Amino acid sequence: MSHNTFGHLFRVTTFGESHGVALGCVVDGCPPGLALEVEEIQAELDRRKPGQSRFTTQRREPDEVRILSGVFADDRTGGRQLTTGTPIALVIENTDQRSKDYSEIRDSYRPGHADYAYDVKYGFRDYRGGGRSSARETAARVAAGAIARKVLPGVSIRAALVQMGPHAIDRANWDWDEVGRNPFFCPDAAAAATYEKFLDEIRKTGSSIGAVIEVVAEGVPVGLGAPVYGKLDADLAAAMMSINAVKGVEIGDGFASAALRGEDNADEMRSGNDGPAFLANHAGGVLGGISTGQPVVVRFAVKPTSSILTPRRTVTRDNRDVEIVTKGRHDPCVGIRAVPVAEAMMACVLADHYLRHRGQVGEPARGA
Amino acid sequence: MSHNTFGHLFRVTTFGESHGVALGCVVDGCPPGLALEVEEIQAELDRRKPGQSRFTTQRREPDEVRILSGVFADDRTGGRQLTTGTPIALVIENTDQRSKDYSEIRDSYRPGHADYAYDVKYGFRDYRGGGRSSARETAARVAAGAIARKVLPGVSIRAALVQMGPHAIDRANWDWDEVGRNPFFCPDAAAAATYEKFLDEIRKTGSSIGAVIEVVAEGVPVGLGAPVYGKLDADLAAAMMSINAVKGVEIGDGFASAALRGEDNADEMRSGNDGPAFLANHAGGVLGGISTGQPVVVRFAVKPTSSILTPRRTVTRDNRDVEIVTKGRHDPCVGIRAVPVAEAMMACVLADHYLRHRGQVGEPARGA
Amino acid sequence: MSHNTFGHLFRVTTFGESHGVALGCVVDGCPPGLALEVEEIQAELDRRKPGQSRFTTQRREPDEVRILSGVFADDRTGGRQLTTGTPIALVIENTDQRSKDYSEIRDSYRPGHADYAYDVKYGFRDYRGGGRSSARETAARVAAGAIARKVLPGVSIRAALVQMGPHAIDRANWDWDEVGRNPFFCPDAAAAATYEKFLDEIRKTGSSIGAVIEVVAEGVPVGLGAPVYGKLDADLAAAMMSINAVKGVEIGDGFASAALRGEDNADEMRSGNDGPAFLANHAGGVLGGISTGQPVVVRFAVKPTSSILTPRRTVTRDNRDVEIVTKGRHDPCVGIRAVPVAEAMMACVLADHYLRHRGQVGEPARGA
Amino acid sequence: MSHNTFGHLFRVTTFGESHGVALGCVVDGCPPGLALEVEEIQAELDRRKPGQSRFTTQRREPDEVRILSGVFADDRTGGRQLTTGTPIALVIENTDQRSKDYSEIRDSYRPGHADYAYDVKYGFRDYRGGGRSSARETAARVAAGAIARKVLPGVSIRAALVQMGPHAIDRANWDWDEVGRNPFFCPDAAAAATYEKFLDEIRKTGSSIGAVIEVVAEGVPVGLGAPVYGKLDADLAAAMMSINAVKGVEIGDGFASAALRGEDNADEMRSGNDGPAFLANHAGGVLGGISTGQPVVVRFAVKPTSSILTPRRTVTRDNRDVEIVTKGRHDPCVGIRAVPVAEAMMACVLADHYLRHRGQVGEPARGA
């Protein structure tokens, strides 16, 4: 059972509400002996932090992380702080808990949000800023992801925003370095310019827009994952779908493969000096649920933020008709801040499968 | 850990290779006291059975299921056979194990198949008919799904093929009754006629084609699923992605929601006599990971069968270049037989979450 | 996988080292709507707190607990703080981290401790105060146990120390009220007087002594647990054996039942006004792994504290012979402080099985 | 959740009722490439088989096991049958299902059995021969244990009956070879002679008697297990307590350690040529939940068979007072046949922890 735990051997249990005392996570199963400093975790958190441009929520949270356990700076190991193999607890205190007026969302169900389902399920809910269903929970994931990366030597994990609203990037322009240069994590400088104008317009009208994110892991060993219900791609699908507002996930060619013929879809191979080499990557690095050594490529769709300034029809807890406008500081495109979250989830899934493979079979092979 | 187990409270563990002695499953956690006859399971299996038209593999397996445990016909309960609350083991013996020549796939990696990844992961593989990675494993899922349906009173689960290759159905023509009348599980009679011609052409050229399947569950109680890592849609994504050849999954508007604005995506509500009612279902019946009481709508893409008659370039186990043609009895569109499998997976996920909800909260509410 | 998680539906994940920054736990799966104040948790912690008599370690920790998440005081529910159904994170900061000299235990393996096994397993260890293997971790369990009790309406859980060294209590003297009146949690006033003299002698010689604790749960519904691997008594055995220094666990007559004949062991039944009634409780409230409605009775043996002032032979990390004396502030009888821990573990196991039963079957029956 | 599954990485899921169609198990997570023939599993089953002497039930079951999946005899690996890394399903058909009259146990609750708890929990039960709560389920465990042994190179696992009723063995006489020479698995020839007379008397009076079994694993690597809730001894306690009729479990000195002082309990160490060596094994091979490399020693108490010929008072399903005599073919001392079951459970726990350690840390070290 895993309502708040993700993974099996590399296990992340998160806790915390948007406007509660704190949020955080416990990372259980991390191998011992990995060098880990809090600054490394903080650096990842800073990439996700709100308020860094006018295109993300203006809520100002320092999102400062503390390590409570699971590391030790042993003088016998040169004083470097290492993971000990015991659970690593990370906590981020909530500081920007404006005592604002929640009376409207307390009693009315915001369309597109979990409010109604929550109230029916649990009988009531922590309505402050969305409580546990707020995307703020993903800060804990990003922190855990920083640790997961440590488990995966030689693996590079990067994500980018590849579509905003109707505007897809031009893949011919893909430049990973560009991702760090614009506030959209966009790998195409031309598209980023388009996004800037487009999102300004969206933002000014108090509306919001969806997006598509692509995550790519390179250097993944061959053999991660398992047939049937331990498929690497099934776990990646669950991981991405568990991110707030995600409505679709695909691997490799994804939905486009439905239109293909067998000849055009199956990746051919040729012998190479270092063993077999693939001639294409329609599969997105996973066949039969097992990594092939090719880059693992996952894309997912994020719906537009449901908190908008346009009045929407809804009902109250006591079944009265009302209109609602969700004021507050909201991301006009939540897909943007999903980019570092996607990397974190990819890292956690791969770390988990790396350890699972090592448990059953032994060290995984590099290759392909 | 769940390499071969699916679900938490309603747990399905499957076993068996394509050409091994038998395949089957153990269903653990089924509530006691549900009437269950083997014929009900067999009826579901017969819908998935190969060789029922020229559009599925001509392999002839009776797929006859036996119940080994977990049911009891008590004379005190009128002699009806009931589930007892103990594990229900189901076995299907393999009968059509032609002693064919596997030397080619034994030594060469079929493009688009798990062969290479398997060999690297496990050191060798049961190459007969794909072994554990064969879609034959899904027979066990369909059997388990027949039991899962019993756990869900008042829930209707149906699936249909909505796209074959480039040809999508016309949704205006949707007729669930039509699904049982054509060999494609297609809800649009006109599209079914197109598919017949199109797939005959594909089949005759020894090629294959992809497809999209849609699964709809109606009558789902409000409140199934949980925030964060117990999201109903995350589990559905994993469930569908764990079906052979699936490369993408979406819920509700799915990837299309990336192009929408907030006003167009969030489903508004109005009060009704029986409580709140939604005015649309862009969300596909799930908000914040929790069912809303609206129909749960999932779609997934199936890649074209990788076993085709066109020669493809590949390498051997000892890294030599060869060409391979995958002879044998293959489905030209594996998406077709994925339809009853999709229903089974939807049933298993919902049954699991039904029991999970009941464990944490109590009986779930009907509604919406 | 559960290296640091206990339970399935009522899940407790603990973290923290003896002399790290903090320790705590995340309680996942707690039902929503239970009234919970931090003072209730603190009250349980105070029972376990060190330094309350000369018979427990003189380390002075306030063990002050904070609730970080999972509760909400909704004005619509009268302002009472309720559990929300989301994870409840509890944190206890470590304050008494004397910067003492650990060089001896850093390099030498204390006999009876996990030091050697730890070093071989993980390559190194946080040697400060035993790190993760310190009994200090049980503070988190006691905190979680306070929440578990809330899940179990009408269930009373109490524990007592029934043997210290060679001195067993006289069961004819059993008085639950006496447990709170002496520093040993002993239900027999006469035995408590004996223990006082006996333990003073032990303490003054720098030695330590073992003990036996008995835990009794009354009002447990019939039907908790499950046959085979979900047995209530198997989970209780694991729970108690997971407490530091525990070397044996028994249910009901336990080891004494090995000497009995069938006639003397099996509890007979007679009809009663409220249904069947048992005439004895040799079984300790569990038959076939399922609760019978009788009191659940568990006993466990705690070995003597391994940290003693008598010099003991051991080896260093680099395999040199040395003698070691474990100075510091140690419990002469760790069994004493295991009493509230035992109650907490009983509460957690019962809460978990309560929710598990409700998930599979529905509300459990009271009775017997 | 694990009502019918045991283990995490080496997972055993069993199914089947005493008088159902068949019983068996699915072993999931077994590493690939281990040589495994059905005869090896059968040999273990034959040790547990009933009807081999007048001291066990006269029910005659051949207990013939079939492997349905998970192995493959590849001509490229010399034709030896190897595990493939996929689930291994084992089935034993029930053949001795006498159509006997169950009316008495159908309606009355046998004292000492799970009948009453079962009926209250599940609403009814498969009363034929105890259904799922019959010790017949342990056949599946013994079969799984034969596979678990394969995972543990260099580990020897043996068990023996060390007490029958009031008669303990003389440990000075311990001879492992003797275990195979008498029908009691007793390592002391003199005690075995005593048991023969004693049990004949018990048997003739239609009574039954309890027993204590000891299991010893030698050659266990250092480092299996984990602190806190992944303790090796906690899992062993659960494993043994999950065997039918077990009421107590202890590790090393067990309950006797409660009477010891620290000096007498903690095992001292000295340096050796191959690293540190222990001078005693009071700990039973486990410290802080982690194996030390010493022999792992576990003992458990089995209560007397509850099915006896002496009339006992009980009630019926409709709460009427009756007397019951449990006719049929019963073991006068169920402890005897628990011996091979104990070995199997030890093997399963060690195999699981071996893989868990390898997953988190890498290959475990031999030693001590």
Side-chain angles (χ1 to χ4, degrees):
Chain A
M1 285 291 299
S2 52
H3 285 157
N4 293 284
T5 296
F6 187 77
H8 296 269
L9 292 202
F10 186 87
R11 294 168 68 79
V12 180
T13 301
T14 73
F15 60 85
E17 281 79 31
S18 174
H19 286 65
V21 177
L23 55 88
C25 64
V26 181
V27 176
D28 188 13
C30 182
L34 305 176
L36 178 70
E37 297 294 337
V38 71
E39 291 77 14
E40 298 171 287
I41 302 172
Q42 191 63 53
E44 292 293 330
L45 276 169
D46 289 348
R47 292 181 64 217
R48 179 203 161 278
K49 201 165 62 176
Q52 304 197 97
S53 81
R54 68 182 183 277
F55 301 113
T56 57
T57 169
Q58 295 308 299
R59 179 171 169 163
R60 298 225 169 257
E61 290 279 6
D63 278 358
E64 205 171 293
V65 67
R66 288 170 71 209
I67 303 180
L68 300 188
S69 64
V71 293
F72 184 53
D74 192 346
D75 43 6
R76 295 171 306 183
T77 55
R80 280 190 316 162
Q81 182 166 272
L82 304 178
T83 60
T84 59
T86 64
I88 305 168
L90 306 174
V91 172
I92 301 164
E93 307 268 337
N94 283 325
T95 56
D96 186 19
Q97 301 158 257
R98 288 195 194 179
S99 74
K100 62 177 272 199
D101 178 9
Y102 289 109
S103 56
E104 195 167 43
I105 69 169
R106 188 190 73 175
D107 295 319
S108 299
Y109 299 129
R110 294 168 298 165
H113 280 284
D115 300 356
Y116 168 68
Y118 240 78
D119 257 15
V120 176
K121 181 179 184 76
Y122 295 117
F124 77 122
R125 70 187 194 282
D126 182 344
Y127 46 73
R128 301 165 302 168
R132 182 73 179 146
S133 63
S134 162
R136 187 148 174 67
E137 183 269 348
T138 59
R141 305 186 188 205
V142 169
I147 301 175
R149 287 176 192 263
K150 298 273 175 169
V151 179
L152 299 162
V155 176
S156 142
I157 296 168
R158 295 180 291 189
L161 190 145
V162 297
Q163 182 186 326
M164 182 186 288
H167 306 291
I169 62 160
D170 180 346
R171 288 183 168 260
N173 293 343
W174 194 297
D175 175 3
W176 278 114
D177 291 337
E178 185 58 32
V179 166
R181 291 191 205 116
N182 62 69
F184 311 107
F185 299 108
C186 176
D188 168 1
T194 307
Y195 294 170
E196 183 156 2
K197 275 189 214 159
F198 178 67
L199 198 55
D200 261 331
E201 175 261 332
I202 294 280
R203 193 169 57 83
K204 283 167 187 166
T205 60
S207 184
S208 63
I209 194 75
V212 174
I213 284 86
E214 182 166 319
V215 208
V216 181
E218 289 170 290
V220 176
V222 190
L224 303 194
V228 187
Y229 307 115
K231 285 194 167 88
L232 181 60
D233 38 359
D235 279 3
L236 286 168
M240 301 309 163
M241 198 66 97
S242 78
I243 301 172
N244 308 58
V246 173
K247 300 303 284 184
V249 184
E250 57 183 14
I251 315 282
D253 280 3
F255 275 88
S257 61
L260 294 180
R261 295 187 177 223
E263 299 88 325
D264 303 319
N265 175 73
D267 303 315
E268 294 180 294
M269 303 179 85
R270 288 283 84 173
S271 64
N273 291 334
D274 305 329
F278 288 95
L279 305 180
N281 190 17
H282 295 281
V286 185
L287 284 172
I290 305 173
S291 65
T292 62
Q294 292 218 86
V296 175
V297 182
V298 178
R299 262 179 316 280
F300 60 89
V302 182
K303 71 180 186 183
T305 319
S306 297
S307 300
I308 51 175
L309 292 177
T310 315
R312 308 300 295 155
R313 290 175 292 173
T314 191
V315 297
T316 61
R317 275 175 67 95
D318 51 1
N319 199 23
R320 282 182 301 105
D321 285 343
V322 290
E323 292 214 326
I324 193 164
V325 168
T326 317
K327 299 185 201 101
R329 302 155 294 169
H330 300 291
D331 288 282
C333 177
V334 277
I336 296 172
R337 292 208 290 137
V339 171
V341 180
E343 292 180 5
M345 295 310 287
M346 173 71 89
C348 288
V349 169
L350 290 176
D352 189 36
H353 275 283
Y354 184 88
L355 301 182
R356 288 161 75 168
H357 177 92
R358 189 163 72 175
Q360 191 184 13
V361 183
E363 295 293 334
R366 295 276 150 190
Chain B
M1 286 291 297
S2 53
H3 285 157
N4 294 283
T5 296
F6 187 79
H8 296 269
L9 292 202
F10 186 88
R11 294 168 68 78
V12 180
T13 301
T14 71
F15 60 85
E17 281 79 29
S18 173
H19 287 64
V21 176
L23 54 88
C25 65
V26 181
V27 176
D28 189 13
C30 184
L34 306 176
L36 179 68
E37 297 295 336
V38 72
E39 290 77 13
E40 298 171 287
I41 303 172
Q42 191 64 53
E44 292 293 330
L45 276 169
D46 289 347
R47 292 181 64 217
R48 179 203 160 278
K49 202 165 61 176
Q52 304 196 98
S53 79
R54 68 183 182 276
F55 300 112
T56 57
T57 171
Q58 296 307 300
R59 180 172 169 164
R60 299 224 168 258
E61 291 279 7
D63 278 0
E64 202 172 295
V65 66
R66 286 170 71 209
I67 304 179
L68 300 188
S69 64
V71 292
F72 183 53
D74 191 345
D75 42 8
R76 293 170 308 184
T77 55
R80 279 191 315 162
Q81 184 166 270
L82 304 178
T83 60
T84 59
T86 64
I88 304 169
L90 306 174
V91 172
I92 301 165
E93 306 268 337
N94 283 325
T95 54
D96 187 18
Q97 299 158 259
R98 287 195 196 179
S99 73
K100 63 176 272 200
D101 178 10
Y102 289 108
S103 57
E104 195 166 44
I105 69 170
R106 189 189 72 176
D107 296 320
S108 299
Y109 299 129
R110 293 168 298 163
H113 280 283
D115 299 355
Y116 169 69
Y118 240 79
D119 257 14
V120 176
K121 181 178 185 77
Y122 295 115
F124 77 121
R125 70 184 194 283
D126 181 346
Y127 45 74
R128 300 165 303 167
R132 182 73 178 146
S133 63
S134 163
R136 185 145 176 70
E137 184 269 345
T138 59
R141 305 185 187 206
V142 169
I147 300 175
R149 287 176 192 262
K150 298 272 175 170
V151 179
L152 299 161
V155 176
S156 142
I157 297 168
R158 295 180 291 190
L161 190 146
V162 298
Q163 182 185 328
M164 183 186 288
H167 307 292
I169 61 159
D170 180 347
R171 287 181 169 262
N173 294 342
W174 194 298
D175 175 4
W176 279 113
D177 290 336
E178 184 59 32
V179 167
R181 291 192 203 114
N182 62 68
F184 310 107
F185 298 108
C186 176
D188 169 359
T194 307
Y195 294 170
E196 182 156 1
K197 272 187 215 161
F198 177 66
L199 198 54
D200 260 330
E201 175 262 332
I202 293 281
R203 192 170 57 83
K204 281 168 188 164
T205 61
S207 185
S208 63
I209 194 75
V212 175
I213 285 86
E214 182 166 320
V215 207
V216 180
E218 289 171 290
V220 176
V222 191
L224 303 196
V228 187
Y229 307 115
K231 284 194 168 88
L232 181 60
D233 39 359
D235 279 1
L236 286 168
M240 300 309 161
M241 198 66 99
S242 78
I243 300 173
N244 309 56
V246 173
K247 301 303 285 185
V249 183
E250 57 182 14
I251 315 282
D253 279 4
F255 275 88
S257 61
L260 294 180
R261 294 186 178 223
E263 301 90 317
D264 303 319
N265 176 71
D267 304 315
E268 294 180 294
M269 302 179 86
R270 289 282 86 173
S271 64
N273 291 335
D274 305 328
F278 287 95
L279 305 180
N281 191 15
H282 295 283
V286 185
L287 284 171
I290 305 174
S291 64
T292 62
Q294 292 218 86
V296 175
V297 182
V298 178
R299 264 180 312 284
F300 60 89
V302 182
K303 71 180 186 183
T305 319
S306 296
S307 301
I308 51 176
L309 292 177
T310 316
R312 309 301 293 157
R313 289 175 294 173
T314 191
V315 297
T316 61
R317 277 174 66 95
D318 52 359
N319 199 24
R320 282 182 299 106
D321 286 343
V322 290
E323 292 214 325
I324 193 165
V325 168
T326 319
K327 298 183 203 106
R329 302 156 291 167
H330 300 292
D331 287 283
C333 175
V334 276
I336 297 172
R337 291 209 291 137
V339 171
V341 179
E343 293 180 4
M345 295 311 285
M346 172 71 89
C348 288
V349 170
L350 290 176
D352 190 35
H353 275 282
Y354 183 90
L355 301 182
R356 288 161 75 168
H357 177 93
R358 189 163 71 177
Q360 191 185 13
V361 182
E363 292 295 332
R366 294 277 151 187
Chain C
M1 285 291 299
S2 53
H3 285 159
N4 294 282
T5 296
F6 187 78
H8 296 270
L9 292 203
F10 186 87
R11 296 167 68 78
V12 181
T13 301
T14 72
F15 60 84
E17 280 79 29
S18 174
H19 287 64
V21 176
L23 55 87
C25 63
V26 181
V27 176
D28 188 14
C30 183
L34 305 175
L36 178 70
E37 296 294 336
V38 72
E39 291 76 14
E40 298 172 286
I41 302 172
Q42 192 62 52
E44 292 293 328
L45 276 169
D46 289 347
R47 294 181 62 218
R48 179 203 160 278
K49 200 165 62 176
Q52 305 197 98
S53 80
R54 67 182 184 276
F55 301 112
T56 56
T57 170
Q58 295 308 300
R59 180 173 169 163
R60 299 224 169 258
E61 290 280 6
D63 278 359
E64 204 171 295
V65 66
R66 288 170 72 209
I67 304 180
L68 300 187
S69 63
V71 293
F72 183 54
D74 191 346
D75 43 7
R76 292 170 309 182
T77 56
R80 280 191 315 161
Q81 184 166 271
L82 304 178
T83 59
T84 58
T86 63
I88 304 169
L90 306 174
V91 171
I92 301 164
E93 306 269 336
N94 284 324
T95 55
D96 186 18
Q97 299 158 256
R98 289 194 194 178
S99 74
K100 62 175 272 199
D101 179 10
Y102 289 109
S103 57
E104 196 167 43
I105 68 169
R106 189 190 70 176
D107 295 321
S108 299
Y109 298 129
R110 294 168 298 166
H113 280 284
D115 300 355
Y116 168 69
Y118 239 79
D119 257 15
V120 177
K121 182 179 184 76
Y122 296 116
F124 78 121
R125 70 186 194 282
D126 181 344
Y127 46 73
R128 302 166 302 168
R132 182 75 178 143
S133 62
S134 164
R136 186 148 176 66
E137 182 269 346
T138 59
R141 303 185 189 207
V142 169
I147 300 175
R149 287 177 192 263
K150 298 273 176 171
V151 179
L152 299 161
V155 177
S156 143
I157 296 168
R158 295 180 293 189
L161 190 145
V162 297
Q163 183 185 328
M164 183 186 288
H167 307 292
I169 63 160
D170 180 347
R171 289 185 167 258
N173 294 343
W174 193 298
D175 175 3
W176 279 113
D177 290 337
E178 186 57 34
V179 167
R181 293 192 203 113
N182 62 69
F184 312 107
F185 298 109
C186 177
D188 168 0
T194 307
Y195 294 170
E196 183 156 3
K197 273 189 215 158
F198 178 67
L199 198 54
D200 261 331
E201 176 262 331
I202 294 281
R203 193 170 56 85
K204 282 168 187 163
T205 61
S207 185
S208 63
I209 194 72
V212 175
I213 284 85
E214 183 166 317
V215 209
V216 181
E218 290 171 289
V220 176
V222 191
L224 303 195
V228 187
Y229 306 115
K231 284 194 167 88
L232 181 61
D233 40 358
D235 279 1
L236 286 168
M240 302 308 163
M241 198 65 99
S242 79
I243 300 172
N244 308 58
V246 174
K247 300 302 285 185
V249 184
E250 56 184 15
I251 314 283
D253 280 2
F255 275 88
S257 62
L260 295 179
R261 294 187 179 224
E263 302 90 301
D264 303 319
N265 176 73
D267 303 315
E268 293 180 294
M269 302 180 85
R270 289 282 86 173
S271 64
N273 291 335
D274 304 329
F278 288 95
L279 305 180
N281 191 14
H282 296 281
V286 185
L287 284 171
I290 304 174
S291 64
T292 62
Q294 293 218 83
V296 174
V297 181
V298 178
R299 263 179 315 282
F300 60 89
V302 181
K303 70 179 186 184
T305 319
S306 296
S307 300
I308 51 176
L309 292 177
T310 316
R312 309 301 294 156
R313 290 174 291 173
T314 192
V315 298
T316 60
R317 276 174 66 94
D318 51 0
N319 201 22
R320 283 181 300 103
D321 286 344
V322 290
E323 291 214 327
I324 192 165
V325 168
T326 318
K327 299 186 201 99
R329 302 155 292 168
H330 299 292
D331 289 282
C333 177
V334 276
I336 297 172
R337 292 209 291 137
V339 172
V341 180
E343 293 179 4
M345 295 311 286
M346 173 71 89
C348 288
V349 170
L350 290 176
D352 189 37
H353 275 282
Y354 184 91
L355 301 183
R356 287 160 75 169
H357 176 92
R358 188 163 71 177
Q360 192 185 10
V361 182
E363 293 295 333
R366 294 277 151 190
Chain D
M1 287 291 298
S2 54
H3 285 159
N4 294 284
T5 296
F6 188 77
H8 296 269
L9 292 201
F10 186 88
R11 295 169 67 79
V12 180
T13 301
T14 72
F15 60 84
E17 282 79 29
S18 174
H19 287 65
V21 177
L23 54 86
C25 64
V26 181
V27 176
D28 188 14
C30 183
L34 305 176
L36 178 70
E37 297 294 336
V38 71
E39 290 77 14
E40 298 172 286
I41 302 172
Q42 191 63 53
E44 292 294 329
L45 275 170
D46 289 347
R47 292 181 63 216
R48 180 204 159 278
K49 201 165 64 177
Q52 303 196 100
S53 81
R54 66 182 183 277
F55 302 112
T56 57
T57 170
Q58 295 308 300
R59 180 173 168 162
R60 299 225 169 258
E61 289 280 6
D63 278 358
E64 203 171 296
V65 66
R66 289 170 71 208
I67 304 178
L68 300 188
S69 64
V71 293
F72 183 53
D74 190 346
D75 43 8
R76 292 170 310 182
T77 56
R80 280 191 315 162
Q81 184 166 271
L82 304 178
T83 59
T84 57
T86 63
I88 304 169
L90 305 175
V91 173
I92 301 165
E93 306 268 338
N94 283 325
T95 55
D96 187 19
Q97 299 157 259
R98 287 195 196 177
S99 75
K100 64 176 270 199
D101 178 10
Y102 288 109
S103 56
E104 196 167 42
I105 68 171
R106 188 190 72 176
D107 295 320
S108 300
Y109 298 129
R110 294 167 299 165
H113 279 285
D115 299 355
Y116 169 69
Y118 240 79
D119 256 15
V120 176
K121 182 179 184 76
Y122 296 117
F124 77 120
R125 70 187 195 281
D126 181 344
Y127 46 73
R128 301 166 302 168
R132 183 72 179 146
S133 63
S134 165
R136 185 146 175 68
E137 183 269 346
T138 60
R141 303 185 189 207
V142 169
I147 300 174
R149 287 177 192 264
K150 298 273 174 170
V151 178
L152 299 161
V155 176
S156 142
I157 296 168
R158 294 180 292 189
L161 190 146
V162 298
Q163 183 186 326
M164 183 187 288
H167 306 292
I169 61 160
D170 180 347
R171 288 183 167 261
N173 293 343
W174 193 298
D175 176 2
W176 279 114
D177 291 336
E178 185 58 32
V179 167
R181 292 193 204 113
N182 61 68
F184 311 107
F185 298 108
C186 177
D188 169 359
T194 306
Y195 294 172
E196 182 157 3
K197 272 188 217 158
F198 178 67
L199 199 54
D200 261 330
E201 177 261 330
I202 293 282
R203 193 172 55 86
K204 283 170 187 162
T205 60
S207 184
S208 63
I209 193 74
V212 175
I213 283 86
E214 183 166 318
V215 208
V216 181
E218 289 170 291
V220 177
V222 191
L224 304 195
V228 189
Y229 307 115
K231 284 194 167 89
L232 181 60
D233 38 0
D235 279 2
L236 286 169
M240 300 308 162
M241 198 65 98
S242 79
I243 300 173
N244 309 56
V246 173
K247 300 302 285 186
V249 183
E250 56 183 16
I251 314 283
D253 280 4
F255 275 88
S257 62
L260 294 180
R261 292 184 180 227
E263 303 89 302
D264 303 320
N265 176 73
D267 304 314
E268 293 180 295
M269 302 179 86
R270 288 283 86 173
S271 65
N273 291 335
D274 304 330
F278 288 95
L279 305 179
N281 190 16
H282 295 282
V286 184
L287 284 171
I290 304 174
S291 64
T292 62
Q294 292 217 85
V296 175
V297 182
V298 178
R299 263 179 315 283
F300 61 88
V302 182
K303 70 179 185 183
T305 319
S306 297
S307 301
I308 51 176
L309 293 177
T310 315
R312 309 301 294 155
R313 288 175 293 173
T314 193
V315 297
T316 60
R317 277 174 67 96
D318 51 1
N319 200 24
R320 283 181 301 105
D321 285 345
V322 290
E323 293 215 325
I324 192 165
V325 168
T326 319
K327 299 187 201 98
R329 300 155 293 167
H330 299 292
D331 289 281
C333 176
V334 275
I336 298 173
R337 292 207 291 138
V339 171
V341 180
E343 294 179 3
M345 295 311 286
M346 173 70 89
C348 288
V349 170
L350 291 175
D352 189 36
H353 275 282
Y354 183 90
L355 301 183
R356 287 161 75 169
H357 176 92
R358 187 162 72 176
Q360 190 184 14
V361 183
E363 294 293 333
R366 294 278 151 187

